[in-house]
Amino acid sequence: MKVFVSRLIPDTGLQLLQQAGLQTTVWTEDRQITQQELIEQAKQHDALLCMGSDKMDAHFLTQCQHLKVIAQFSVGYDNVDVAASTRLGIPFGNTPDVLSDATADVAFLLMLAVSRKAFYMHKRIISGDWGTYRPTLNLGVELKNKTLGIFGLGRIGMELARRCRGAYNMKVIYHNRSHNVQAEQELQAQRVSFEELLAQSDVLSVHVALSPETEGKFNADVFRKMKPSSIFINTARGKIHQEQDLIQALNEGWIWGAGLDVTNPEPMKPDNPLLSMPNAAVLPHIGSATVQARNDMARLAAMNIIAGLHGKRLPHCINPEVYKKDKSISN
Ligand code: NAP
């Protein structure tokens, strides 16, 4: 059986596929494959290992309904029409957990970088503007004993909360649709309303999935309700905050700073005002970009493909409802 892989992934994954006797074709061009090219390739294969940047909409899934399994190389799946995949009987996999540490590290890094204006001060050295010692200029803020607010306290949020409790004894509050009992027991995290999260957080970090409920959630009205001394961090998805409103919030002092690993659009243009602001830090979506996380993501994605092609349940499936249709699928 044949698997199409829409980007070069670490060998750990490719080797697993080959050891399972599967023939792999990897898209090796250094550009994003177009949807039409992906459809053409997928039509010649039995399974697809795709990226979060591939558009897995109803059109794609309908055209490629012969696929026995699709395994995505990411935990987030806001690019997928999950209902269509289920309706067409295609099991769809993702790669949870293995990138939580790496992504929480990036949120922590951004929090610290913004709190000390680190990216901005680094740029000043490069531009020849180290300057003289000025005791009152470019001062940062300290994080010890402050309140960390998490919007979407799941796997990645939990890892950030652990880091912030351990490093700075931060109080953890969060807003989810349901209680995170583990966080409440282990970290004494308190579930609060969205309004309370805005009003109380010194650092507000977004870890929720992008969905119709969360798209554009952080707009001017929301930024105005945050503390003027607060730091906004988004390592989830760029569409969750509205960029022009964030720029206004930073310029007008509604919030103190912002750190982003995700933007809308991606890539961000080099003349974007956020890149030259003293109180902003931006990274190019590197949350899961560690050797360990990417190896593990490749392994999990390959395991999903192998299980799917053997008619077994995917170890990490985003649409388990697909199995309700077919009672013959074993665990
Ligand atoms: P997760 O474990 O599913 O955590 C998400 C949390 O958000 C859940 O606890 C969920 O709790 C809460 N939530 C979902 N919808 C909500 C809503 N409408 N309102 C309030 N809370 C809501 O996911 P994860 O593994 O931590 O990943 C989170 C996101 O990070 C992914 O979806 C992905 O977009 C992003 N990510 C980015 C990178 C990067 O490179 N920057 C890397 C990995 C992941 P309830 O169900 O109780 O509400």
Side-chain angles (χ1 to χ4, degrees):
M1 279 185 284
K2 298 197 295 184
V3 185
F4 185 70
V5 184
S6 73
R7 269 283 191 210
L8 182 60
I9 61 165
D11 271 348
T12 43
L14 295 175
Q15 280 168 10
L16 272 180
L17 294 173
Q18 281 148 17
Q19 283 159 12
L22 303 172
Q23 198 182 319
T24 54
T25 314
V26 180
W27 177 262
T28 48
E29 283 193 42
D30 193 19
R31 68 173 172 87
Q32 166 87 32
I33 190 168
T34 66
Q35 192 184 54
Q36 192 49 41
E37 288 166 333
L38 191 53
I39 290 171
E40 283 159 21
Q41 290 290 345
K43 279 185 187 293
Q44 298 164 44
H45 293 78
D46 305 291
L48 170 65
L49 197 159
C50 68
M51 305 295 123
S53 48
D54 296 322
K55 204 171 170 186
M56 297 285 111
D57 58 7
H59 171 67
F60 176 87
L61 295 163
T62 307
Q63 293 287 310
C64 299
Q65 53 187 290
H66 69 284
L67 289 171
K68 294 189 172 62
V69 52
I70 304 178
Q72 184 154 297
F73 189 79
S74 72
V75 65
Y77 50 87
D78 45 276
N79 59 317
V80 183
D81 188 331
V82 181
S85 191
T86 306
R87 194 172 60 246
L88 294 163
I90 309 171
F92 207 112
N94 69 341
T95 62
D97 291 316
V98 293
L99 40 55
S100 298
D101 278 315
T103 309
D105 280 343
V106 166
F108 192 86
L109 182 161
L110 286 168
M111 175 182 77
L112 209 47
V114 173
S115 78
R116 300 301 299 270
K117 308 186 184 204
F119 286 25
Y120 171 70
M121 298 311 285
H122 179 73
K123 275 181 270 185
R124 285 181 51 153
I125 300 175
I126 293 168
S127 66
D129 189 19
W130 184 305
T132 55
Y133 177 57
R134 299 169 184 127
T136 59
L137 284 191
N138 291 311
L139 305 184
V141 291
E142 297 187 20
L143 300 165
K144 198 168 165 188
N145 298 328
K146 295 279 170 68
T147 297
L148 169 71
I150 297 195
F151 181 50
L153 178 55
R155 292 169 290 234
I156 297 170
M158 187 71 184
E159 290 305 330
L160 177 67
R162 286 190 175 118
R163 283 157 177 70
C164 292
R165 286 288 289 163
Y168 296 119
N169 191 38
M170 290 172 86
K171 175 181 169 184
V172 179
I173 59 175
Y174 71 99
H175 179 72
N176 280 16
R177 292 165 302 184
S178 52
H179 279 276
N180 184 326
V181 177
Q182 190 189 355
E184 292 177 9
Q185 287 174 352
E186 182 186 325
L187 304 170
Q188 292 75 52
Q190 277 174 27
R191 181 165 170 248
V192 296
S193 68
F194 187 63
E195 298 291 316
E196 286 169 319
L197 189 82
L198 301 177
Q200 292 175 25
S201 299
D202 295 307
V203 176
L204 198 163
S205 194
V206 177
H207 297 284
V208 77
L210 175 64
S211 68
E213 298 88 66
T214 62
E215 182 163 355
K217 183 92 174 169
F218 283 81
N219 57 20
D221 283 348
V222 164
F223 288 126
R224 270 204 201 90
K225 290 177 185 165
M226 289 173 61
K227 290 185 184 180
S229 56
S230 66
I231 294 173
F232 172 76
I233 304 290
N234 187 359
T235 59
R237 285 290 180 265
K239 284 185 181 169
I240 296 172
H241 67 262
Q242 297 195 11
E243 189 178 279
Q244 287 311 315
D245 293 1
L246 174 61
I247 292 169
Q248 188 179 10
L250 291 167
N251 277 332
E252 300 198 6
W254 301 342
I255 64 173
W256 194 81
L260 308 175
D261 184 46
V262 288
T263 63
N264 179 28
E266 290 179 4
M268 176 182 264
K269 292 216 175 98
D271 61 354
N272 190 298
L274 287 165
L275 295 172
S276 48
M277 287 180 166
N279 47 353
V282 185
L283 290 171
H285 204 146
I286 59 164
S288 67
T290 65
V291 174
Q292 189 176 330
R294 291 280 162 88
N295 279 340
D296 285 343
M297 289 163 71
R299 185 173 50 77
L300 257 55
M303 285 164 58
N304 275 335
I305 294 279
I306 293 165
L309 287 179
H310 285 101
K312 296 193 170 152
R313 269 179 185 262
L314 311 194
H316 301 284
C317 188
I318 66 169
N319 62 341
E321 307 77 33
V322 76
Y323 297 118
K324 288 190 187 138
K325 289 178 154 187
D326 183 355
K327 302 252 183 313
S328 68
I329 302 284
S330 58
N331 282 307

